[in-house]
């Protein structure tokens, strides 16, 4: 269980990285970006991923930051998940992102794994997919033609595929600061604590005159990509929160899913039903958090 | 395809090493077979069991989930660093694992010790829940974890320098 | 000269034991916590090559062609091995029953996914794996025998061409007047159960370095071997070598739990070494290899059971019909797992008649191997579930029905219907203690209150017998020959009085080296630190078996007591000569040889040893100057089985009662263990900390088996779906309950020092306890679980049926 041979590059600047990716592309070399490697390394060792070249972003120190700017929390792609976990700024201003981070893998994974690596890997069971959808996050991608900003909904294309060209690098993700008075919740079902989720849900909402408004429900672990559940959101907007309403929202959410993934841990029908439960429970928790 | 040989410089347990390696070499293979530091063990090679846990720049990482090349310039710490070579004295974490029977076969133990080191550096007085959260990336097939939690508690108390009710109490 | 082994620590030559019975620190630990223990992959030989194995992707296929020419040309490759070499050099492995063995590598066809097909030795494992990719194998698929149903179908393809069918064994054993008992019963309960495959999964996989001495035609295998002498014999048979030409050196291993020893991996590395003209070859099994095809799969069972009960809750008869999916043959001795329940077939109860229908079939799943408990854990799920079914129907509390049926203390030694004799026990006392400790009635109240709020709480109360100190005769029903399992040690005192114990097994985790030091230190009145315990390879160690069958603590105690006693006898003669008295008047006490009735006439043990080695002139005429002794212990009074497999097999019968409180999440099917209590009785506790560790570790494995772990195979095509640790779910620190424990000591009247085998421990009890607790939580809804693991998905599905019915 050892990786197949590859060439290894560790550019020290973003410009060098993009130039290198472009050159490899021109030379017809299949390259893959290494950004921490907590998902890629097992695939390399199992020889399931066999890139001809690895471009390690680990030496690009300029991509390691967390800052608040223009109403957003901006996180450099090479920032570790542990840094997010330890960030007082994020805990205070974007608590949903913070809560989700605590669910990612184990401490060792969060220490070495990067934020950008996780977003770019686009694993359907990854917590950040749902957070991106729930918060309408923006991804900054830099390539030979400069920088472009992609919204979450466009960013995730399909199973393990994000909107990043082979000559591009994800450099930053941006989450809006959570508005005061927002209720939120994040819950997931795993076989063991720290495992990839079988199903998970992120919810944000507000209350206006005692009614739900701005309801956002995102689900992950169930379909090929994380997604918003519009039917359930719509059902809730403008209605007074109640156990019965949330139960109904769960049913609607469950019904609007694409055909769920089935694997050794959970059948598709089980995952579908878990979403109903998770949505209901998250809504209850989110409303409680509004206070 | 010809794999260019990769230059790597790391500091491990305060000793600096420079080697030229095949870039696909994993960090754990590098430590064990290149540097002869075999105290770090390999249990699954795909990032689940935690037996290969070491500290990189003070934080616990799985050395099977890194290339040695990624550690270039890093400061690494392995289980071999814990025992005081001058006095022969064991680290309080090691001693606590012995005193509380926190190991049986001992294969996963170096990983647990290094995770504990990371935890206690950050939180010298962890609750049982915090201990569990810090160690949930390490699997042990022998002990059922109860004595490991006791060991970490005892180690924490000793590291803090407080008085310790050392005996094998119930967990 | 017959040697009397002390039956209790009080019988040892010490006024008060300083170490035996105490929670002493383990002498194994300093090496382990510093990472300096020599696990096999920490060890290297000069010039060693590294092996990688190409494995079959097909469950069942003919091998039409293997082309290794490109691999052989690759720089760095030193040897390539294929079926052609195997045909030339190897024999089919022996099995019980006979005729279901394989060669270490497939020759003409593959029988399971992961079966070795070719292997490479190269300068590194990386290069060896590169070379594997250059080997071309052409297969012709054969129909797959996915499960026992397929195996016995009329047109089933044969997995073993030398056999008339895929049925390894199909026989019914009847003990007592079963028909009569069932006819007379007021109630007969019948249920089906399914136990899915689980297995050992030690944190260290198997590894070895094999060195074929091509000049002397002999083989040395260094590796993680649980039972080195057994492995050595097997290699001699498989590789056509005289048994004294195979030397096995067992290295400390990172856990074993039954299966560690890698006969296939060893043979392959050995033959690669032979082919590489004697270059040593290292093979380290990786986790994917382990999960797919290592010695890590066990107990794949379909049960139907019937329990005969009287109106007032007396259990009178128990019938079990087992269909066991052994996988592709019997190479891993998985068959024995089906035979072992005979040693405690009817548990703690006075059930008078029983019947066991054992049907063992071959399929295209991986062959099954030994795993901790070796078979009874699933059997106990069946037995204890049946007892609860009866209790529920009769309106009895699970505690009461158990108490009603216990073998009573004055009934021991007690012979159970399946033939084994239990040595001793205090079942009601154990039950009472755990009921008090758990505040059982308060938990019942908590359960009622929770249920009113719509929450599903359940309590499991389960007691089991752990057969300890195995004997080969226990497995006669599947064709294992022999009676007795020798375990030998050598104890030697040097000229300065330092003591060394030499034995034939190595570190595995249970702390037996510490036990050896405890015993010797107390016997000769020396500090434990001064006793050295050292390993000897198979060629020089006394006869030994090593770890297995909850026996080593007891067997080692017997061997050490025997060896110490033999030295004591020699010393008696020496001192009698020096002091001019009768040998009978000399005794050993607290480290001194004393002459009775002559105060002050005594010699320290060290001085006697020094005299023997340094002053031959002072020894009795003709006496051998040898302050050392070897003693080989085996259990007394074991006998040959009768035609129904009945015999006195396992020497000791430890027992335990567990109580668990669980909560089932009705929406998600997740089972959470809220509380867990254990009282056990394994006789004399030689090192209580070790015993506690065995119990808690075994709880963890039991929780794994009942809630998390499963080797899943595709129902559609028989392909294994689990090959990673992210899919085979070992319980982590959050998943294992922190248990509250207490104990009772009912010493064994027949075992050395009164200790009972306890190494396999709680895995006998925990799965059944959780199954019973979950059913206690949900039975009122009209559903019960009969399949393990009780994964959230499975339990959700069961509860779904209820929801839909409502």
């Amino acid at each position: 269980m050892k990786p197949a041979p590859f060439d290894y590059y560790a550019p020290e600047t973003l410009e060098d990285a993009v130039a290198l990716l472009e050159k490899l592309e021109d030379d017809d070399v299949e390259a893959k970006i290494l950004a921490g490697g907590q998902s890629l390394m097992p695939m390399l060792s199992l020889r399931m991923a066999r890139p001809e070249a690895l471009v390690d972003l680990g030496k690009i120190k300029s991509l390691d930051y967390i800052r608040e700017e223009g109403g957003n929390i901006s996180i450099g792609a090479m920032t570790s998940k542990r840094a997010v976990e330890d960030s007082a700024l994020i805990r205070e201003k974007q608590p949903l992102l913070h809560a989700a981070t605590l669910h990612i893998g184990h401490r060792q994974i969060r220490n070495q794994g990067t934020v950008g690596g996780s977003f770019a890997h686009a694993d359907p069971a990854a917590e950040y997919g749902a957070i991106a959808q729930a918060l309408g996050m923006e991804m900054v991608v830099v390539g030979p033609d400069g920088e472009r900003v992609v919204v979450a909904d466009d960013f995730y294309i399909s199973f393990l595929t994000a909107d990043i060209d082979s000559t591009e690098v994800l450099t930053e993700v941006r989450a809006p600061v959570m508005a005061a008075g927002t209720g939120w919740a994040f819950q997931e079902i795993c076989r063991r604590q720290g495992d990839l989720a079988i199903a998970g849900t992120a919810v944000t909402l507000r209350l206006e005159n005692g009614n739900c408004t701005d309801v956002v429900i995102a689900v992950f672990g169930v379909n090929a990509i994380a997604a918003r559940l519009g039917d359930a959101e719509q059902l809730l907007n403008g209605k007074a929160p109640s156990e019965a309403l949330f139960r109904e929202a769960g049913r609607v959410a469950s019904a609007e899913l694409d055909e769920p993934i089935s694997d050794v841990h959970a059948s598709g029908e089980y995952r579908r039903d878990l979403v109903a439960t998770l949505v209901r429970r998250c809504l209850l928790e989110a409303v409680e958090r509004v206070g | 395809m010809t794999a260019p040989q990769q230059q790597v410089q790391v500091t491990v347990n305060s000793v600096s090493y420079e080697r030229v390696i095949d870039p696909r070499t994993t960090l754990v293979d590098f430590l064990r077979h290149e540097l002869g530091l075999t105290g770090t063990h390999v249990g699954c090679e795909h990032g689940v069991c935690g037996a290969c846990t070491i500290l990189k720049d003070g934080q616990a990482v799985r050395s099977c989930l890194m290339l040695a090349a990624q550690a270039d310039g890093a400061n690494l710490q392995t289980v071999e660093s814990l025992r005081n070579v001058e006095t022969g004295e064991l680290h309080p974490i090691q001693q606590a694992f012995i005193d509380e029977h926190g190991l049986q076969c001992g294969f996963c133990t170096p990983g647990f010790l290094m995770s504990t080191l990371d935890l206690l550096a950050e939180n010298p007085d962890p609750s049982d829940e915090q201990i569990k959260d810090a160690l949930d990336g390490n699997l042990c097939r022998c002990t059922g974890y109860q004595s490991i939690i006791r060991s970490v508690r005892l180690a924490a108390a000793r590291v803090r320098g407080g008085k310790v009710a050392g005996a094998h109490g119930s967990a | 000269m017959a040697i009397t082994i002390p039956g209790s620590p009080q019988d040892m030559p010490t006024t008060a034991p300083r170490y035996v019975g105490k929670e002493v620190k383990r002498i194994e630990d300093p090496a382990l916590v510093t990472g300096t223990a020599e696990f096999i992959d920490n060890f290297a030989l000069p010039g060693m090559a590294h092996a990688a194995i190409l494995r079959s992707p097909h469950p069942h296929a003919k091998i039409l062609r293997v082309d290794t020419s490109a691999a052989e040309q690759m720089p760095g490759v030193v040897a390539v091995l294929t079926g052609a070499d195997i045909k030339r050099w190897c024999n089919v492995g022996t099995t019980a029953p006979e005729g279901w063995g394989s060669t270490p590598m497939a020759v003409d066809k593959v029988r399971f996914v992961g079966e070795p097909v070719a292997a490479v030795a190269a300068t590194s494992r990386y290069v060896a794996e590169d070379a594997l990719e250059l080997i071309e194998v052409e297969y012709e698929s054969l129909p797959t025998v996915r499960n026992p149903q397929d195996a016995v179908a009329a047109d089933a393809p044969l997995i073993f061409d030398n056999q008339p069918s895929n049925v390894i064994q199909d026989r019914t054993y009847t003990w007592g007047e079963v028909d009569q008992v069932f006819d007379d019963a007021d109630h007969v309960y019948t249920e089906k159960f399914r136990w899915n495959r689980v297995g050992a999964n030690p944190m260290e996989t198997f590894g070895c370095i094999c060195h074929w001495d091509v000049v002397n035609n002999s083989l040395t295998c260094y590796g993680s071997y649980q039972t080195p002498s057994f492995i050595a014999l097997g290699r001699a048979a498989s590789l056509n070598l005289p048994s004294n030409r195979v030397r096995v050196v067992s290295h400390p291993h990172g856990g074993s739990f039954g299966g560690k020893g890698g006969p296939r991996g060893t043979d392959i590395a050995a033959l690669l070494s032979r082919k590489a003209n004697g270059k040593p070859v290292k093979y380290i099994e990786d986790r994917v290899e382990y999960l797919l095809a290592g010695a890590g799969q066990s107990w794949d069972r379909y049960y139907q059971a019937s329990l005969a009960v009287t109106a007032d809750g007396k259990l009178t008869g128990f019938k079990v019909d087992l269909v066991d999916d052994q996988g592709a043959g019997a190479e891993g001795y998985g068959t024995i797992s089906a035979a072992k329940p005979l040693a405690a077939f009817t548990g703690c109860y006075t059930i008078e008649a029983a019947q066991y229908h054992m049907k063992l079939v071959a399929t295209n799943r991986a062959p099954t191997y030994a795993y901790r408990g070796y078979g009874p854990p699933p059997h106990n799920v069946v037995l204890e579930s049946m007892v609860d079914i009866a209790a529920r129907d009769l309106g009895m509390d699970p505690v009461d029905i158990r108490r009603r049926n216990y073998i009573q203390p004055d009934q021991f030694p007690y012979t159970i219907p399946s033939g084994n004799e239990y040595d001793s026990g205090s079942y009601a006392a154990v039950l009472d203690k755990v009921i008090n400790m758990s505040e059982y009635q308060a938990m019942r109240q908590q359960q009622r209150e929770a249920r009113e709020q719509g929450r599903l709480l359940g309590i499991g109360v389960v007691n089991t017998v752990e057969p300890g100190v195995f004997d080969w005769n226990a497995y006669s029903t599947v064709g294992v020959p022999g009676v007795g399992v020798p375990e030998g040690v050598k104890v030697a005192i040097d000229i300065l009085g330092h003591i060394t114990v030499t034995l034939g097994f190595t570190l595995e985790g249970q702390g037996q080296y510490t036990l050896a030091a405890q015993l010797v230190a107390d016997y000769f009145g020396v500090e434990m630190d001064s006793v050295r315990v050292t390993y000897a390879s198979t060629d020089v160690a006394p006869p030994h078996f090593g770890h297995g069958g909850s026996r080593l603590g007891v067997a080692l105690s017997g061997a050490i007591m025997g060896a110490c006693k033999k030295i004591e006898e020699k010393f008696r003669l020496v001192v009698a000569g020096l002091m001019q008295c009768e040998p009978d008047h000399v005794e050993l006490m607290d480290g001194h040889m004393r002459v009775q009735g002559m105060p002050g006439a005594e010699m320290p043990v060290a001085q006697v040893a020094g005299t023997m080695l340094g002053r031959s002139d002072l020894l009795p005429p003709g006496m051998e100057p040898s302050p050392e002794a070897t003693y080989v212990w085996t259990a007394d009074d074991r006998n040959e089985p009768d035609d129904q497999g009945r015999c006195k097999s396992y020497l000791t019968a430890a027992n335990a009662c567990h109580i668990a409180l669980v909560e089932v999440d009705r929406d998600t099917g997740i089972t959470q263990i809220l509380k867990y209590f254990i009282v056990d009785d394994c006789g004399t506790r030689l090192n209580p900390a070790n015993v506690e560790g065995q119990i808690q570790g075994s709880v963890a494995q039991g929780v794994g088996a009942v809630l998390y772990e499963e080797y899943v195979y595709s129902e559609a095509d028989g392909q294994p779906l689990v090959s990673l640790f992210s899919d085979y779910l070992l319980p982590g620190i959050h998943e294992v309950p922190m248990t509250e424990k207490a104990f009772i000591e009912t010493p064994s009247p027949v075992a050395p020092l009164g200790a009972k085998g306890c190494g396999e421990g709680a895995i006998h009890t925990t799965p059944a306890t959780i199954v019973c607790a979950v059913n206690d939580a949900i039975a009122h809804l009209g559903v019960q679980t009969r399949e393990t693991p009780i994964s959230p998905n499975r339990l959700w599905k069961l509860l779904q049926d209820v929801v839909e019915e409502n």
Side-chain angles (χ1 to χ4, degrees), chain C residues 547-565:
Chain C
H547 306 88
S550 288
R551 71 180 277 280
L552 195 51
V554 173
L556 177 66
S557 298
I560 287 190
M561 290 296 107
C564 291
K565 189 91 182 173

Side-chain angles (χ1 to χ4, degrees), chain A residues 19 37 41 46 88 95 159 238 269:
Chain A
M41 275 301 293
L46 292 161
F159 179 74
E269 59 163 349

